[in-house]
Amino acid sequence: MDSQTSQPSQASQSPHTFQVDLRGLVDLLSHHLYSSPKVYLRELLQNAVDAITARRAEQPDAPAAVRLYAEGGTLRVEDSGIGLTESDVHSLLATIGRSSKREDGLQAARSDFLGQFGIGLLACFVVAERIRVVSRSARTPDAAPVEWTATDDGSYTVRTLPHEARTEPGTTVHLVARAGASEWLTEERVRSLARDFGSLLPYDVRVGDEAIAELPAPWDRAHPSPATRRVALARHCHDLFGFTPLDTIDLNVPLAGVRGVAYVLPSAVSPAQRASHRVHLKGMLLTERAEQLLPDWAFFVRCVLDTDSLRPTASRESLYEDETLAAVREALGERIRSWLTGLAAGDPERLAAFLSVHHLGVKSLARHDNEMLRTMLPWLPFETTDGRLSLEEFALRHPVVHFTRTVEEYRQVAPIASAQGIGVINGGYTYDSELVEALPSVRPGTVVSELDADTVTAHLDAVDPAEELALSGFLMAARAKLDPLGCDVVLRAFHPLSVPALHLDDRAARHEQARAEAEDQADDLWAGILGSLRGSAPRARLVLNHLNPLIRRISSLRDPELIGTATESLYGQALLMAQRPLRPADSALLNRAFIGLLEWATHTEPGKDDLR
């Protein structure tokens, strides 16, 4: 083969330039990058603010003004910023992805600017069919003003204007609304958006004659007293989030470049609910839905803050997840943690009011923070057999801190354990069992033990052997009736007397029961596999109270069928008392026992029917 034919042609090695379909790009921006057309105004404000920042970097005394005028489906935005020359226009406005913040030695000072991605002006095509920019450079005062006009079909024109067309440095952007988007360019909508995005901007921003910026920020304003400051911040929270906060937490973290405030929600929320916070970047609203700003445990607050250290994503509607954001998250979490410990030390009434609503959030924090757990021991509430108490108070009352892992287990044993003097904590709620198990690490010497059926049964009084032997026939019939359900029957004497029977089991017993049920319903192969998993876990048990008058009467029965019906009724009643979810077999048993009792209640001996 000829060597030259194996070489690629010269034409195939020539570089080519990407072609951009502007209409397709605008569709991409409006439907995928930006969440709403309203961001067009933020991009315009951002460009204006960045232009002023660039000019003041060279001319510190330069004017800093942005003016917006909306009328008849058009919008005009004027700024006193750095301006552009004709070469700047070709290089920056007509090149997608290029930002002026990367040009002319400004790369090192990019932190002073809001926008860095070079796509901001394209956002205007979401609402406009034509964009016209008139600019005069402050860097090159002798340069003539330049006009750049672009349409949404991807074409643009550039021309120089007479010097008198714009006498002062700066830029004016003209928008003409596209079909169906004129509502976004009305004066009322522009004023609302400008106030929302630019209320914390450090420059003189006005819509018509109305000032938009409201500086200093609410958390930086001076007040006569802490009380009046709390009232003012509460009003700000209500205007911003729609609720009056339970309390406010200052988020002044200079090392992280953050200033703001966290508002404590007045009502409980689910930990799974994603919190949305308002984040301003150098005064410009970045997002109202920042979800990753705080640690997960701090779901009980809503924040509004201004930062100069965090990086925005390309859409500038969320925060870029990096080491800086992780450090800020940790710093804000530490600030909220300090507020909690401060309340515990100096304002117990406010702490109690807070914990009555948001104890779940503090428990979530205390799981991983022994110091927080130690601080909150006297305050965090738990459901116990002694009432609603803190772990500290409960541990002082009981030498052994018993707890259950599920609410169902607690409901089974709570009445009986309380009557026997056994203190039990309900660990079935979120985080509670983890905190109880962590108690010895912050309170040395505390004994913590998970309560199971054997422990409860061991605390119940045994029946005299002679009496139990006399009832062996009754107990044998009762056990035979409940054996198919995986439940034993035992006889004990306990208080309160009003409880005839107690159903006790633990997780191991329930797992074994579920395995046995699955084995009964499985085919031969699967049944063999499940059978190999059979454990030695204790079975559930129905504990009959020998002190209860009803049990004494039932135990004197001689009819095995009636004993079986009574035993099923006691079993079903014990399940209902424990508020346990009923299996299909349990529901069938309850129905069968109820019908059986009705039959016995209406039964008459032969020859004693009513005479007609």
Side-chain angles (χ1 to χ4, degrees):
M1 180 180 292
D2 184 70
S3 60
Q4 292 191 359
T5 60
S6 64
Q7 299 296 321
S9 67
Q10 185 66 30
S12 67
Q13 296 183 14
S14 300
H16 298 278
T17 302
F18 283 104
Q19 301 299 311
V20 177
D21 180 353
L22 187 58
R23 286 183 176 176
L25 184 59
V26 169
D27 180 72
L28 178 67
L29 294 177
S30 59
H31 291 96
H32 300 283
L33 184 62
Y34 296 122
S35 62
S36 166
K38 69 180 182 180
V39 298
Y40 88 91
L41 192 71
R42 184 195 62 201
E43 300 297 338
L44 288 173
L45 286 176
Q46 173 185 286
N47 287 343
V49 169
D50 283 345
I52 293 172
T53 301
R55 184 176 180 185
R56 284 205 156 183
E58 301 178 7
Q59 305 171 16
D61 297 331
V66 182
R67 298 290 183 266
L68 298 92
Y69 304 95
E71 182 180 3
T74 64
L75 175 65
R76 184 171 86 255
V77 181
E78 301 177 352
D79 70 65
S80 58
I82 193 69
L84 301 170
T85 64
E86 183 176 357
S87 62
D88 292 336
V89 167
H90 284 289
S91 175
L92 301 176
L93 297 187
T95 305
I96 295 171
R98 179 172 295 176
S99 170
S100 63
K101 272 66 77 176
R102 301 189 182 99
E103 302 297 324
D104 298 325
L106 291 176
Q107 178 73 18
R110 286 175 64 189
S111 62
D112 294 333
F113 300 95
L114 299 174
Q116 301 172 8
F117 296 96
I119 59 175
L121 196 60
L122 287 180
C124 295
F125 280 121
V126 175
V127 298
E129 66 177 12
R130 184 162 59 91
I131 302 173
R132 176 170 167 258
V133 178
V134 177
S135 187
R136 183 163 189 164
S137 174
R139 287 184 180 143
T140 313
D142 295 336
V146 62
E147 178 190 70
W148 177 83
T149 304
T151 58
D152 60 1
D153 63 2
S155 63
Y156 73 91
T157 60
V158 178
R159 65 187 181 111
T160 57
L161 301 176
H163 283 271
E164 59 270 16
R166 185 179 180 98
T167 58
E168 296 295 327
T171 300
T172 302
V173 179
H174 303 261
L175 301 185
V176 177
R178 66 191 308 152
S182 58
E183 62 171 306
W184 292 101
L185 271 62
T186 62
E187 183 176 8
E188 181 180 0
R189 178 62 68 90
V190 168
R191 182 183 297 108
S192 174
L193 293 177
R195 186 179 294 116
D196 199 30
F197 285 121
S199 62
L200 300 183
L201 289 175
Y203 302 138
D204 180 17
V205 181
R206 296 175 183 268
V207 176
D209 295 327
E210 182 177 338
I212 297 303
E214 300 175 356
L215 296 177
W219 48 85
D220 287 330
R221 294 172 191 168
H223 296 278
S225 67
T228 56
R229 182 176 187 270
R230 279 198 298 269
V231 170
L233 289 176
R235 188 181 305 113
H236 174 249
C237 175
H238 190 274
D239 293 341
L240 208 58
F241 294 114
F243 65 86
T244 300
L246 196 64
D247 206 348
T248 59
I249 309 169
D250 285 317
L251 299 178
N252 183 15
V253 190
L255 291 179
V258 170
R259 283 194 62 80
V261 64
Y263 294 115
V264 181
L265 291 165
S267 55
V269 294
S270 167
Q273 179 178 332
R274 302 298 297 179
S276 296
H277 310 288
R278 288 176 64 95
V279 177
H280 296 255
L281 180 61
K282 304 177 185 69
M284 180 74 74
L285 179 66
L286 181 69
T287 178
E288 302 171 278
R289 300 186 302 274
E291 296 181 349
Q292 68 273 48
L293 186 65
L294 295 180
D296 291 340
W297 55 262
F299 55 82
F300 51 83
V301 299
R302 297 292 180 268
C303 297
V304 54
L305 54 83
D306 188 26
T307 176
D308 59 15
S309 63
L310 299 179
R311 290 174 57 196
T313 58
S315 67
R316 288 181 288 280
E317 293 187 296
S318 59
L319 299 172
Y320 188 82
E321 185 69 48
D322 58 9
E323 293 181 358
T324 302
L325 179 56
V328 168
R329 185 186 300 122
E330 179 62 29
L332 295 180
E334 183 59 37
R335 184 66 195 87
I336 297 173
R337 185 185 289 108
S338 298
W339 169 78
L340 283 170
T341 55
L343 287 185
D347 201 339
E349 291 185 1
R350 284 171 66 195
L351 177 63
F354 166 77
L355 289 177
S356 67
V357 179
H358 296 300
H359 55 273
L360 201 58
V362 180
K363 287 180 178 180
S364 176
L365 169 60
R367 287 183 307 152
H368 308 294
D369 189 329
N370 280 350
E371 189 57 38
M372 179 58 63
L373 177 58
R374 185 179 293 107
T375 301
M376 291 296 159
L377 272 182
W379 307 102
L380 287 174
F382 288 77
E383 182 180 353
T384 78
T385 49
D386 293 349
R388 201 161 180 80
L389 298 176
S390 68
L391 287 180
E392 178 74 19
E393 187 174 357
F394 187 86
L396 289 173
R397 295 186 181 188
H398 299 278
V400 178
V401 177
H402 291 287
F403 73 99
T404 63
R405 291 193 181 275
T406 68
V407 174
E408 289 79 11
E409 291 172 354
Y410 178 80
R411 287 170 177 166
Q412 286 183 84
V413 302
I416 307 304
S418 179
Q420 306 304 312
I422 306 173
V424 184
I425 295 175
N426 183 356
Y429 296 115
T430 307
Y431 311 132
D432 283 9
S433 62
E434 296 176 69
L435 294 177
V436 174
E437 289 182 297
L439 189 56
S441 66
V442 297
R443 196 176 186 276
T446 304
V447 179
V448 173
S449 175
E450 182 178 354
L451 190 67
D452 55 23
D454 289 334
T455 304
V456 177
T457 305
H459 279 79
L460 305 181
D461 294 334
V463 177
D464 181 85
E467 293 188 51
E468 186 167 0
L469 182 61
L471 299 176
S472 59
F474 162 75
L475 292 174
M476 185 178 299
R479 287 167 181 155
K481 195 67 176 178
L482 295 187
D483 183 69
L485 296 173
C487 182
D488 291 333
V489 178
V490 297
L491 189 65
R492 291 290 187 273
F494 55 87
H495 293 273
L497 301 179
S498 58
V499 177
L502 175 66
H503 181 271
L504 294 177
D505 66 358
D506 53 25
R507 284 171 296 145
R510 288 196 294 275
H511 291 164
E512 174 61 20
Q513 190 176 59
R515 187 209 58 78
E517 290 177 354
E519 182 180 354
D520 291 339
Q521 299 173 7
D523 56 33
D524 292 342
L525 174 61
W526 188 239
I529 295 173
L530 291 174
S532 67
L533 299 176
R534 183 181 295 111
S536 59
R539 288 152 56 94
R541 65 200 67 178
L542 182 68
V543 184
L544 303 180
N545 187 1
H546 189 54
L547 301 180
N548 180 268
L550 176 62
I551 295 298
R552 286 182 174 272
R553 290 197 297 271
I554 292 176
S555 62
S556 65
L557 295 174
R558 295 293 179 263
D559 187 323
E561 185 176 350
L562 184 54
I563 291 175
T565 299
T567 302
E568 288 182 331
S569 300
L570 291 170
Y571 175 83
Q573 188 262 356
L575 285 180
L576 293 175
M577 289 294 293
Q579 302 183 44
R580 289 284 305 279
L582 299 180
R583 300 169 297 160
D586 298 330
S587 299
L589 176 145
L590 282 172
N591 291 331
R592 183 170 64 248
F594 178 71
I595 293 173
L597 289 176
L598 288 179
E599 289 177 349
W600 278 100
T602 57
H603 175 72
T604 56
E605 295 181 16
K608 293 186 178 181
D609 292 341
D610 292 337
L611 297 176
R612 296 181 181 271

